[in-house]
Amino acid sequence: MNPTKITADTIRAMKGRGEKIAALTAYDYPLAKMLDEAGVPFLLVGDSLGMVVLGYPDTTLVTMADMEHHVRAVARAKPQALVTADLPFGSYDTVADAVANARRLIAAGAEAVKAEGGRAILPQVQAIVAAGIPYCGHLGMLPQHVREEGGYHIKGRTETEREALLADARALEAAGAFTMVLEIITPPVAKEITASLTIPTIGIGSGPDCDGQILVTFDLIGFFPWFTPRFVKPRTNCAAAIQAAVGEWKASLVARVVK
Ligand code: KIV
């Protein structure tokens, strides 16, 4: 095994050393290779691929077959980074399904799995961990619940939500999660959750005080120009660069036409 290979334990230990965790989504071989070469230690084959790669309106249409296909592509890059894969909507409704589908993602090349929810899916989390599969939690705004919640809403605004999030986070830690994503939670509550856990939190749209940050890579690099979440500041504009390059190439062809 590669001696510098990053594992779930490596990610967990980063919190103890006060090292911030940079995490990004990867859906295919070249992106996984580029992010790995840039030193990103945590790659997520997120079900956001349903929206930014497959063109679905939300993540609820993503299937296990979609996830396996993209996990295989990322795994072929043999990254040093830890590869975590999302269990898609409907794939962990029962304990048996959760374990069987987590095993399928591991067989495809993932090294850890993530699902959305806290105490509501605790038996599934415990069973995945008992099966020896590293588990990443996901609390706050849960994209797989977009249809029942009627949109993407910030979480942690009320005392009831704050208490529920803290209880969910503690339950996931006790169940053996090695880290958890906190998505669009009010920054003070994300900070409080982070301070109350020994495992690291990885925030997205939840303020600066999580132990790490995760973004959908396409948002960071301007590769999905039709929508950018308000909390993301793109660092480059890949879409504009591609369109400019294609435009120049096309113009050069047109200019060469002999009349
Ligand atoms: O699917 C995904 O990309 C995610 C991140 C936004 C955390 O779950």
Side-chain angles (χ1 to χ4, degrees):
M1 179 164 136
N2 181 342
T4 54
K5 176 67 191 154
I6 291 165
T7 65
D9 284 342
T10 320
I11 298 295
R12 194 199 324 250
M14 287 172 80
K15 178 164 182 147
R17 291 196 297 272
E19 266 178 62
K20 287 279 183 188
I21 300 160
L24 286 170
T25 59
Y27 312 119
D28 58 24
Y29 176 90
L31 197 56
K33 238 179 150 41
M34 279 187 256
L35 300 181
D36 196 50
E37 286 172 11
V40 174
F42 186 111
L43 299 183
L44 174 68
V45 187
D47 61 357
S48 52
L49 67 85
M51 296 167 80
V52 301
V53 176
L54 302 179
Y56 292 141
D58 58 50
T59 60
T60 65
L61 299 168
V62 176
T63 64
M64 272 300 298
D66 293 331
M67 292 306 302
E68 288 172 301
H69 177 78
H70 287 276
V71 168
R72 281 191 203 104
V74 167
R76 273 181 217 117
K78 295 189 178 28
Q80 289 189 348
L82 179 75
V83 176
T84 299
D86 267 334
L87 281 160
F89 180 73
S91 71
Y92 52 98
D93 290 347
T94 66
V95 168
D97 281 355
V99 174
N101 288 319
R103 286 200 172 115
R104 277 175 65 180
L105 293 177
I106 297 292
E111 295 153 331
V113 300
K114 171 167 91 56
E116 297 182 7
R119 287 162 297 168
I121 59 161
L122 213 57
Q124 288 92 319
V125 176
Q126 288 163 337
I128 290 170
V129 173
I133 297 171
Y135 183 80
C136 170
H138 187 153
L139 295 177
M141 193 282 285
L142 304 178
Q144 292 177 8
H145 291 241
V146 62
R147 294 188 181 202
E148 66 194 75
E149 295 197 359
Y152 301 102
H153 307 297
I154 187 164
K155 292 292 159 70
R157 278 188 158 148
T158 65
E159 185 52 23
T160 312
E161 278 183 7
R162 175 187 155 271
E163 282 169 14
L165 286 166
L166 275 161
D168 283 336
R170 290 189 184 120
L172 288 177
E173 175 171 48
F178 71 97
T179 186
M180 71 187 68
V181 168
L182 301 182
E183 183 157 5
I184 316 192
I185 292 177
T186 58
V189 173
K191 183 178 181 178
E192 192 179 354
I193 294 170
T194 302
S196 75
L197 301 177
T198 59
I199 59 169
T201 60
I202 304 180
I204 173 162
S206 300
D209 296 311
C210 297
D211 297 302
Q213 297 289 333
I214 186 162
L215 288 175
V216 169
T217 303
F218 287 8
D219 295 336
L220 180 68
I221 64 173
F223 197 71
F224 193 83
W226 309 280
F227 173 75
T228 307
R230 55 166 180 76
F231 53 82
V232 181
K233 191 172 144 248
R235 302 291 171 136
T236 186
N237 191 337
C238 283
I242 290 168
Q243 284 172 337
V246 170
E248 272 174 36
W249 172 77
K250 185 179 162 223
S252 75
L253 283 188
V254 173
R256 254 186 261 133
V257 170
V258 183
K259 300 227 167 91

